Each structure stands twice: as C-alpha cells, then as structure tokens.
Amino acid sequence: MADIIHLLPDSVANQIAAGEVIQRPASVVKELVENSIDANATSITINIKDAGRTLIQIIDNGTGMSETDARLSFERHATSKIRKAEDLFSITTMGFRGEALASIAAVASVDLKTRLATNETGTHIEIEGSVVLSQNSVSCAPGTIFTVKNLFYNIPARRKFLKSNTTEFGHILSEFERIVLANPGVEFKLYHNDSQLFSLPQTHIRQRIVSVFGKKTNQNLVAIEAETSIINVRGFIGKPENARKKSGEQFFFINNRFMRNPYLHKAIVDAYKNILQPDSIPSYFLYLEAAPETIDVNIHPTKTEIKFEDQQAVWQIVHATVKQSLGKNNIVPSIDFNVEQGFEIPVLTKNTEIKKPVVEINPYFNPFDEKPASSRDHNKSVSSLEKENIANWEKLYDGFENEKNLKDDVSIPTQVEPQQKINDSNLSGKYFQFKNKYILTPVKSGLMVIDQKKAHERILFEKFMFSLESRTVISQRTLFPKIIELSPKEHGLLMEIIDDIRMLGFDISDAGNHSFTVNGLPGDSSDQKPEQIIDKFLHEYLNTEIDIRTRAKEKIAQSMAKASAISSNQNLTTEEMSELVDLLFACSIPNFSPFGKKIISILKTEEIEKRFS
C-alpha cells in the first residue's frame, strides 16, 4: 500500500491556523492592537474601511522592530514572549503564541512599516498569501504601521460567509470596547470609512467608561474595591434600576486582559438577588488583579477564557465585594459598613475548619436592677434558657381559639356589586385579558389564547416593512423636539441606517456631539418616550444577528417592532383588545412573530371537557 501521510505546505498550514485565530475582521483588529499594547504604545490609531473587508490599518508609537525581527515575526510560532514551557504560567503580555501575524498574512495582503527609535530608517515588508513580495528600508516614524487589505481574498468561502457590514463592524466595536476599557492609559482613535467615531485621550477608568458608553452612564456607576491575599477587585457596578434584559455592558478584566467567565458572572448576579427585575442583567466593569502564576490564560486560542487556581475563593470574594458595595451605597438593606476601614472578606478553602459560633449571654440581666445579676445567673447555660422557652411556648397561643370562634360567628356576604365583579375579572364582551399578557376569546373549536406583545410585534413589523418597501412615511409629530444623547458606538450605528429609520416614521436628525434631535415617531408606536424607543431599538439591533436569509431592512423592521410594541404586562381595554385582534388577522402571517415565535394557541373544547370528566 502506498504512503498516504504527508506534510502540509506552509501556506495551507497557515490558512488552517488562521481559521482558529482569524475568524472575522474583528479578530485582526484584536490581534494587531494587542501587539501594539505589548510594544508599549501610548497612542494607537485604527483605520477601518467597509467593516474591515477592504482595509484594516493599525498605527502605533510603540517600540517598533528591527529588520530581522520584522521578517521573523511572520513565521509561525515566532514570539518574543516565551522562551521555555514554564513561561506559559507567568504571562503578563496580551499575545504570546506567535501565530497571529502568520495567520493574518496567510489570508490577506499585508503591508508592514516599522522602526526602532534608535535606528535612522525602518523596514518595509509586503506579504500576500504567506508569500513575501518585498523587503526594503523605508523612512518612517518610530513605531509600527500595519496595513491589512482584502481579507480572505484567497478563501472565497470564508469571505462569503461574513455578515453584513453593520454586523461585522459591530464585532469590531465590541473588540475595541474591550481593549480601550482595559487600557485607559493609552490614547485611542478609531475611524470608519474616513469618519472619526472615537477619540479617547489617556485617562482613568471611570472617564474611559463614560467616554465609550456616553454621559448617561456616569450616574449609573457604583464604585467597588477590595484587596485580599488571593485577588484584588476594583471597578464599577451598575445600579439595579438600569439593568437591561440582554447583555451588553458586562466586562471582566484580569491583569488588564479581557476575559469571559460565566462562573463569576453568576457571583455578581447572585449579589443582586431580589433587587433586579426578572431576567435583567446588571452592568459591571470589574478589574481583577492576581499573581500571573495563579491563572491560566492558555486554554483557548483567543485567550478570552481564563482558569483560576482557586475558582471557588475568587467567586466568594467577587460576590462579597459586590454585596458590600451595594450595601455601602444604600442600594440594598445592609449593616453600616465603615467606609474608611472596610472589612476583611473571609475566604473558605477545602481545609477550612468551620466552627459553630459560641455566644455568652446573661438572660437575667435587667438594666433597672440596682444590684447586678450574680455570676451564677450569668453563667447559666443557654440550653437551660431554651428549655424554659420550650416549656412555655404554648402560652403564645392563649386566646387564639376564642379569636377563631369569633371569626366563625361573623357572617360573610355572598354577593358583591356587579361593577366590582367586572373590575376583578377584567371580563367584558367576548375578550378577556389574562395576567395582562394574554388575550382570551372563544372560537368554534375552543378557547383562543393570543400573546399580546408578540401580536403587536407582528402588526408593527408588517407595517414597517411596508413603509421600507414602498417608501411611504407615517409619522406622528412630538409636541416638543427631544434631544437624545448616545454613545459614540450607538451614534455611529444610527448614522449608518438613518435613512431607513426615517422611512419607518422617525423624524430624526443629527445634532452633533453624538446626539440626535427627534421631532416625530412612527404613528403606531406604543405610548413610550422617544429615548426609550431609540434605546430599545439600538439594543435589539445590536443583539440581533443577521443571516443570509434575512435582509438588512427586515432586521431593522424586526428590531423596531420589538422596541415599539406594547409590554407584556400592559392592561388593555376591550376596544384595544378587539382592535389588536382585528389587525393581527389582517396580517399576512398572523400565527408567528417576526422572530418566529408562536402568537396564537387554541385550547380545544375536548381538552377543557377532559379536565372536568
């Protein structure tokens, strides 16, 4: 039998490696900017065109590279961070695998200009599909300019499955947020299609958060800080009243590296127990510091999943610190913490011996006695006191039997006023609202149950799609113009789709400084404030993935319908229920919401009768 195993060519091996490291344009931005940070850059500029498909350029003022290092950096597993295996357990830099540049060069056209501050000239290298086209000396500023063009040009299948420009740029913005929040001491500028979206000067953590997410975020931040022998915690958590239904402003950083950690996320959510609306997620920006040898960052190719040496202890510390901060700021009932001195958070380990606390009391102490109780009385055991209490517990219920008999003698009215019956049941005509969430109405085959929010979403979605397709505008003027301030990310997104937003019925215009003026809303919008609708729409739009079967306009209509629809707990009159049902059955697809969720369910007569058989 002939030999069938052979070594892959370097170009193919690099493309396979690129599949792990470079998943989309945002991956390129992440790897290159982290390289700039590792090079001690204090100023980084990011230029993007067509959401990274056409151009990704990173300019930094870092240390730069020598001619030899510049060429060697494109080889697989070439790194300046690792010398021996033990170094993997004391990593303090962002990148260390030595695969990023080789992977990028395998799937794009790459242009590198770099120079050490001590050299008079720099190095210019051009690479395309892992092939070095040229290497020359060049005159350039100290630092590095890394330019990536035509990403995935040689892998058409990968390029084809990229999402829309809006979606891909959203992923770039997400990576940008993580990097700039982890490095407030670095100046960042971000341009998209020659338009500046961010200009972030060197600053402190709180100001960086506000600069990224907008001024409205500042009043929502609650400081958090704790120092222990295992880990240090600092940063900010959000007030419970501003928690959202979906994720978006939840950030963990360990030693200035962004990480995902569902385990610690639960520690924070548990600390908010009983003070959050159902299914709401609080915002948080937590910066953890731990000895590098106590964490493992080498468990995932993107280095965003971290493993702690003592996960349980870290969970306890984070949970207790969040609860402490909520208590200090009177957000939850709590003991009066000494803000200046703080307190020591006990950490349980596997070897911790748990002892029952012993409390000595004098049950016979009377502050009005001139003669204090004897030592014999004071040393009387707690157990004897408990026995006395048990012996006399029945006295607590003296008189209860008489009270019961008295209640039995009181006559209970068997009739209520007709109007009271109607209000209690909310039943009138052929429509009945259940739990302020469902509309019930009898039909020939049984009882029809309609989800009122999903029904309204379907009605609005078809109305918005008609407006977008026919370009007919139905708008309702607001009494006074409303100025809405947005974060740079939200402002940039809204500017990209503002024409379609106007076709939905929004009379909206750019007011400068990341804000908009709203003069009109869609005619059928629910009774919400303009800023609420805009906020919900942007949140839905950013968190709704678009696939090859969904057009961009449909995504806009879906997001706006969900943001504008009535709530699940809104009380409706009989007339409103009747109108909602009529409009629903006038839709082309009344059975399902724009997101494919069921709107109507029939509880058949046979099922109801079976329950009483």
Side-chain angles (χ1 to χ4, degrees):
M1 180 178 177
D3 297 335
I4 60 174
I5 297 178
H6 60 275
L7 294 175
L8 287 172
D10 288 343
S11 59
V12 178
N14 286 343
Q15 287 186 7
I16 294 173
E20 293 184 353
V21 181
I22 310 303
Q23 300 171 352
R24 59 195 341 143
S27 307
V28 177
V29 173
K30 173 184 181 295
E31 297 292 344
L32 295 183
V33 174
E34 286 184 349
N35 282 351
S36 296
I37 293 170
D38 286 342
N40 299 316
T42 59
S43 179
I44 301 174
T45 299
I46 305 169
N47 292 315
I48 307 292
K49 285 190 177 179
D50 300 326
R53 281 180 168 86
T54 304
L55 173 72
I56 298 172
Q57 185 181 61
I58 312 298
I59 305 171
D60 70 58
N61 65 346
T63 54
M65 290 181 283
S66 67
E67 181 180 358
T68 302
D69 285 349
R71 177 63 186 86
L72 192 59
S73 66
F74 288 99
E75 298 296 329
R76 290 191 67 198
H77 308 304
T79 177
S80 61
K81 321 293 175 56
I82 303 294
R83 298 294 181 187
K84 54 187 183 297
E86 289 76 12
D87 292 342
L88 287 171
F89 302 98
S90 59
I91 293 169
T92 59
T93 57
M94 298 295 103
F96 55 87
R97 294 174 183 270
E99 293 182 357
L101 297 190
S103 298
I104 295 170
V107 293
S109 300
V110 174
D111 185 288
L112 171 66
K113 293 179 181 178
T114 185
R115 176 193 151 197
L116 294 171
T118 54
N119 292 353
E120 293 184 359
T121 61
T123 302
H124 181 203
I125 298 177
E126 292 181 287
I127 298 180
E128 191 170 291
S130 296
V131 178
V132 179
L133 302 181
S134 66
Q135 179 171 343
N136 305 294
S137 297
V138 68
S139 176
C140 62
T144 301
I145 303 175
F146 210 111
T147 305
V148 178
K149 297 179 180 178
N150 302 322
L151 186 64
F152 300 134
Y153 79 96
N154 53 352
I155 312 179
R158 289 287 302 277
R159 191 174 177 92
K160 177 183 177 182
F161 280 94
L162 290 177
K163 305 295 184 181
S164 67
N165 279 359
T166 301
T167 300
E168 292 299 337
F169 189 65
H171 287 290
I172 291 175
L173 286 174
S174 295
E175 292 292 351
F176 180 79
E177 288 173 353
R178 297 165 185 170
I179 293 170
V180 301
L181 291 175
N183 300 277
V186 179
E187 176 190 37
F188 288 93
K189 293 180 181 179
L190 175 63
Y191 295 84
H192 187 216
N193 294 334
D194 298 322
S195 175
Q196 187 181 74
L197 297 185
F198 287 91
S199 180
L200 307 175
Q202 296 176 347
T203 185
H204 51 81
I205 293 174
R206 185 177 193 127
Q207 184 56 51
R208 178 57 60 86
I209 294 171
V210 173
S211 298
V212 172
F213 293 101
K215 296 178 182 177
K216 60 184 178 182
T217 308
N218 191 37
Q219 59 188 4
N220 181 43
L221 298 178
V222 177
I224 178 173
E225 187 171 4
E227 293 187 7
T228 71
S229 58
I230 296 177
I231 197 168
N232 296 335
V233 182
R234 62 192 175 99
F236 300 91
I237 55 176
K239 296 179 181 177
E241 61 266 26
N242 293 315
R244 290 182 169 184
K245 295 290 184 181
K246 291 188 177 181
S247 60
E249 295 181 5
Q250 292 77 37
F251 295 89
F252 280 116
F253 302 96
I254 177 69
N255 297 346
N256 292 333
R257 178 196 299 276
F258 170 79
M259 70 171 183
R260 293 185 179 91
N261 198 306
Y263 185 61
L264 293 186
H265 172 78
K266 190 176 186 302
I268 294 178
V269 173
D270 281 2
Y272 280 82
K273 194 172 182 180
N274 299 326
I275 61 172
L276 280 180
Q277 293 292 329
D279 302 323
S280 295
I281 306 174
S283 59
Y284 54 80
F285 308 86
L286 260 58
Y287 296 76
L288 313 181
E289 294 177 1
E293 61 270 17
T294 64
I295 61 175
D296 186 0
V297 301
N298 193 33
I299 62 174
H300 193 273
T302 61
K303 306 180 287 292
T304 57
E305 296 181 16
I306 309 296
K307 185 176 181 180
F308 290 92
E309 187 176 61
D310 193 341
Q311 291 269 83
Q312 186 178 4
V314 175
W315 194 99
Q316 295 170 17
I317 293 169
V318 170
H319 180 267
T321 306
V322 172
K323 290 206 74 171
Q324 175 202 12
S325 184
L326 291 172
K328 281 182 181 180
N329 291 274
N330 299 320
I331 296 174
V332 294
S334 175
I335 62 174
D336 186 13
F337 291 103
N338 187 318
V339 179
E340 293 182 359
Q341 295 181 358
F343 69 97
E344 180 65 27
I345 300 174
V347 177
L348 297 179
T349 64
K350 295 178 181 178
N351 301 321
T352 301
E353 182 181 357
I354 302 176
K355 297 180 180 179
K356 181 179 179 180
V358 178
V359 181
E360 292 186 359
I361 62 172
N362 180 5
Y364 300 98
F365 173 75
N366 186 339
F368 300 102
D369 285 348
E370 294 182 1
K371 184 179 178 181
S374 65
S375 59
R376 179 181 60 82
D377 291 337
H378 178 70
N379 293 327
K380 190 172 184 178
S381 68
V382 176
S383 61
S384 64
L385 178 64
E386 291 176 347
K387 289 178 181 178
E388 290 181 12
N389 288 339
I390 293 172
N392 297 320
W393 72 268
E394 291 181 348
K395 294 181 181 180
L396 294 172
Y397 296 92
D398 286 350
F400 272 39
E401 188 66 28
N402 293 335
E403 184 177 347
K404 179 179 182 298
N405 294 335
L406 181 63
K407 286 183 178 180
D408 291 340
D409 292 338
V410 177
S411 60
I412 300 175
T414 58
Q415 295 182 350
V416 292
E417 295 297 324
Q419 183 61 40
Q420 184 181 349
K421 282 185 177 181
I422 293 173
N423 290 340
D424 287 345
S425 65
N426 198 24
L427 177 63
S428 178
K430 65 175 181 178
Y431 294 107
F432 169 66
Q433 191 180 24
F434 178 66
K435 298 286 189 181
N436 283 351
K437 184 176 182 181
Y438 301 103
I439 298 173
L440 311 183
T441 183
V443 293
K444 186 175 181 180
S445 58
L447 185 66
M448 179 183 290
V449 183
I450 300 173
D451 187 310
Q452 67 184 42
K453 178 173 174 58
K454 292 186 176 66
H456 199 206
E457 287 176 2
R458 164 54 62 181
I459 295 165
L460 291 176
F461 171 74
E462 295 203 3
K463 183 188 83 72
F464 290 146
M465 281 302 299
F466 176 79
S467 297
L468 290 171
E469 297 290 352
S470 62
R471 307 193 69 80
T472 57
V473 181
I474 303 174
S475 183
Q476 178 179 327
R477 298 281 295 182
T478 57
L479 188 59
F480 300 103
K482 180 70 177 179
I483 302 293
I484 300 177
E485 292 185 1
L486 301 175
S487 69
K489 177 180 179 179
E490 294 170 333
H491 180 271
L493 172 62
L494 204 55
M495 284 300 295
E496 286 190 16
I497 57 176
I498 191 168
D499 290 337
D500 287 329
I501 294 295
R502 286 169 176 158
M503 292 312 303
L504 294 178
F506 274 95
D507 184 353
I508 187 171
S509 58
D510 186 13
N513 197 25
H514 306 307
S515 61
F516 285 89
T517 301
V518 179
N519 291 304
L521 297 172
D524 292 340
S525 297
S526 57
D527 188 17
Q528 300 181 65
K529 296 178 180 178
E531 59 269 29
Q532 291 177 329
I533 295 179
I534 293 289
D535 182 68
K536 288 181 180 179
F537 164 72
L538 289 171
H539 189 68
E540 291 295 337
Y541 191 82
L542 286 168
N543 287 279
T544 302
E545 282 287 349
I546 186 170
D547 56 35
I548 57 176
R549 297 168 297 174
T550 306
R551 296 175 298 168
K553 287 183 178 179
E554 287 182 9
K555 181 180 177 182
I556 292 172
Q558 285 175 346
S559 303
M560 185 59 74
K562 191 164 187 178
S564 304
I566 58 176
S567 65
S568 294
N569 61 351
Q570 184 168 328
N571 184 269
L572 300 177
T573 65
T574 303
E575 292 75 15
E576 289 171 335
M577 287 188 281
S578 176
E579 182 181 6
L580 189 69
V581 174
D582 290 343
L583 290 172
L584 175 64
F585 284 100
C587 292
S588 60
I589 308 177
N591 291 326
F592 296 96
S593 77
F595 300 91
K597 302 292 185 180
K598 201 176 199 180
I599 297 176
I600 300 169
S601 181
I602 302 282
L603 185 60
K604 294 191 175 181
T605 305
E606 294 81 9
E607 296 178 45
I608 298 174
E609 291 177 345
K610 190 182 295 183
R611 293 175 180 270
F612 294 95
S613 60

